[in-house]
Amino acid sequence: MNLCEEVDATEYDTHVQIDHFAMISEANSVEVVTPKSYAQAISLPEREKWIEAMDKEMNAIIEAKTYNLVPMDAIPPNAKGAMPIRSFQVKFDGTFKARLCFPGHRQQYGVDFFDTESPVAKFATFRMYMVIVTTFGEKAYHFDIPNAFLNGEVHESVFMRQPPGYADTSHPHHVCSLKKALYGLRQASLAWYIRLDDVLTSIGLKKHSADPCFYYLFDKDEWALVLIYVDDNAIAGSKSLRNKIVDLLKKEFCAKDLGVASRYIGTSIDYHPDGVFMHQKADIEEFLKKVGWSNSTPLKTPFNEYSFSEIAKSSPIDHTTYRSAIGSLMWYALCTRPDILFAVTSLAQFQAAPTKLAMDCVHRIYRYLRGTLNLGIFIPFKRGNTPMHFVLTPYSDASFSIPILDSRSASGLVFLLNGVPIHWISRKQRLISLASTEAEIIASSLCAQELLWIMQVLDPIVKLERPIELRIDNLSMKYVAESVLTSHRTKHLNIRYLFIRQLLNDHPVVLKWVPSEDNVADIFTKYFTTVGVFKGLVLKITADRDH
């Protein structure tokens, strides 16, 4: 496209990150239409609020010196001056946002971007963080960095047209040469992470080798733990050191101190006299309302017994709605609702070719969530003068030849830190197991890998009690793992699936047999027809609290 052409702003100024809940947002109990373009925003009844939001965004961009204006004939011949796009949103608190974004889909690798991957804090790290902070008798504090990406430096030559409605009157035909990152720019997230990392490490915080978004500092009697998730950040520690870090971030990035964290990474955090409760009740209620299942009859289990072929042979349906549903449910399963993870991962197999029966199973999960809105993760406060200790308890389990997994076996893992679930996995095994013992060995080897990572995260921060008991409910698997001999029943197994032996030999980890009714990893490996058994296992790792 010729840069000298006149451009219709309504053609290019489009919204690229549309919420999957549709184009209607709720603000202060009033339904507000989310505009798609600058032209539409200034024509809506809420035009004054949208203009105010766009003015605020542009002022931040100008203050950050995000770009320089250059004549069009000064840019390289092969450079493209892309038209910026607007991302409009009404947040939960009623705030109007009008983000100016760069159309990253127009960038070319090797020309105007190279590396793009940037880390974010893992869910498991966040839960470990909350358990540590709560056990230390402290609270996590939330600080936000407005327009965070505008702080990242752009080293490539990237050009953009002036935003519609905000062109420089003195140079209306100039283009913007980006010096700082904009949202939507492919390298924006990485540029911001590099900038924030430089500032945090300059203070003296150490970046964790096991999670590059986890920072810590222990200095005599003072300590601080910082967790970053793009521009959403948590900090905890001794008051003086915590305030010092936040003050520096305020000076460097105009960070906002939001006080005690009540919401982080999509998780609501409630403080009670006896501990901290993490949940997603409001999010799930809103989701069920959007999909039209908020008034459905509740069910007590999330899944029914079906075979892979039964679901696959059902009549096909449109994949858009199905994939959106699986994506939302997976988010809840990974954050605070481990009880639905097996059901969601099983149904995720059908995203390429969803069927009516698969969607019926999704609807069953809706009805289960409808009846279990108060479930979440509870972290108790340390009581009185009891010694501060950290006990890591991993559970491993496997179910042999599951019909819904096309007769493959399933691995289920859950890790408890001081009795609180911090990490859980439900995974279809790649190798076809010939016996239940083989399935258990494969699951325990996966557990060993995850256990080593969790130990790497915790060891620099807290003192773990040793030895660590890896709990299983299969005695045959225990004998195989602890034996140095190779049985004719296991000699065909790949060496990577006997990794558990290496863990037992090199680390203070021991296998401990527990009855199946006490193995909480069981809920990640199969469906349950007995409500009492399922509910009993679920309540061993979650809490049902009316908040």
Side-chain angles (χ1 to χ4, degrees), residues 25-32 49 90-96:
S25 299
E26 290 189 2
N28 298 329
S29 302
V30 178
E31 290 190 344
V32 178
K49 292 184 177 181
V90 181
K91 303 186 76 173
F92 279 106
D93 60 359
T95 304
F96 283 64

Side-chain angles (χ1 to χ4, degrees), residues 40-89:
Q40 185 183 4
I42 62 176
S43 66
L44 292 173
E46 300 81 10
R47 67 184 302 273
E48 296 298 329
K49 292 184 177 181
W50 289 123
I51 290 174
E52 181 183 357
M54 289 187 285
D55 288 345
K56 183 179 179 181
E57 176 78 1
M58 285 305 302
N59 289 337
I61 289 173
I62 293 170
E63 185 177 348
K65 299 179 181 179
T66 306
Y67 57 76
N68 295 331
L69 291 177
V70 297
M72 286 186 290
D73 56 8
I75 68 175
N78 63 338
K80 296 181 179 180
M83 175 61 70
I85 52 185
R86 288 278 182 185
S87 174
F88 296 95
Q89 181 188 15

Side-chain angles (χ1 to χ4, degrees), residues 330 333-334 337-346 424-426 524:
M330 187 66 77
L334 294 177
R337 296 301 301 267
D339 51 319
I340 65 170
L341 183 59
F342 175 73
V344 177
T345 53
S346 297
W424 50 83
I425 291 176
S426 177
F524 303 105

Side-chain angles (χ1 to χ4, degrees), residues 341 395-397 411-415 423-427 442-448 450 520-522 524-525:
L341 183 59
Y395 287 84
S396 172
D397 196 17
S411 297
L413 319 172
V414 61
F415 299 81
H423 187 37
W424 50 83
I425 291 176
S426 177
R427 186 173 299 174
I442 293 170
S444 62
S445 290
L446 174 62
C447 184
E450 298 296 322
V520 290
D522 206 18
F524 303 105
T525 65

Side-chain angles (χ1 to χ4, degrees), residues 280-328:
Q280 292 174 293
K281 179 179 180 180
D283 301 67
I284 295 174
E285 284 181 319
E286 181 68 15
F287 171 71
L288 293 177
K289 180 181 177 181
K290 295 293 183 181
V291 296
W293 286 79
S294 59
N295 296 319
S296 59
T297 304
L299 294 175
K300 295 184 178 180
T301 59
F303 204 51
N304 256 348
E305 181 179 359
Y306 289 107
S307 69
F308 184 91
S309 59
E310 280 181 297
I311 295 179
K313 290 178 181 179
S314 180
S315 55
I317 62 171
D318 177 64
H319 63 77
T320 305
T321 304
Y322 187 83
R323 290 178 181 177
S324 176
I326 291 296
S328 297

